[in-house]
Amino acid sequence: MDSIKRWWGERSDVEKWVIGGVGVVVTVATGGAAAYAISTGGAIFVVDGTVVAVGAAATALAKRV
């Protein structure tokens, strides 16, 4: 955890805003599945409008279809 705090502390204000903004966009664009994947060990990748989910995130997305 200390390494994450150190890494975050080394970011400029602009970098922090960009990272936060990207996180919000990904979470909204995937309907919250990204946050779910992070908390349960799954992962989501979005490439050119194609969403690929693995682990617990895949199950959550499949239930939404």
Side-chain angles (χ1 to χ4, degrees):
M1 189 64 156
D2 288 335
S3 62
I4 293 172
K5 287 181 182 179
R6 189 175 339 106
W7 179 84
W8 185 254
E10 293 171 353
R11 303 291 71 114
S12 70
D13 287 342
V14 173
E15 289 174 315
K16 290 177 182 178
W17 277 100
V18 170
I19 292 167
V22 169
V24 167
V25 169
V26 168
T27 301
V28 170
T30 61
Y36 182 77
I38 291 168
S39 67
T40 61
I44 295 177
F45 305 95
V46 180
V47 179
D48 294 329
T50 302
V51 177
V52 178
V54 294
T59 303
L61 284 174
K63 290 180 180 178
R64 296 187 72 164
V65 174

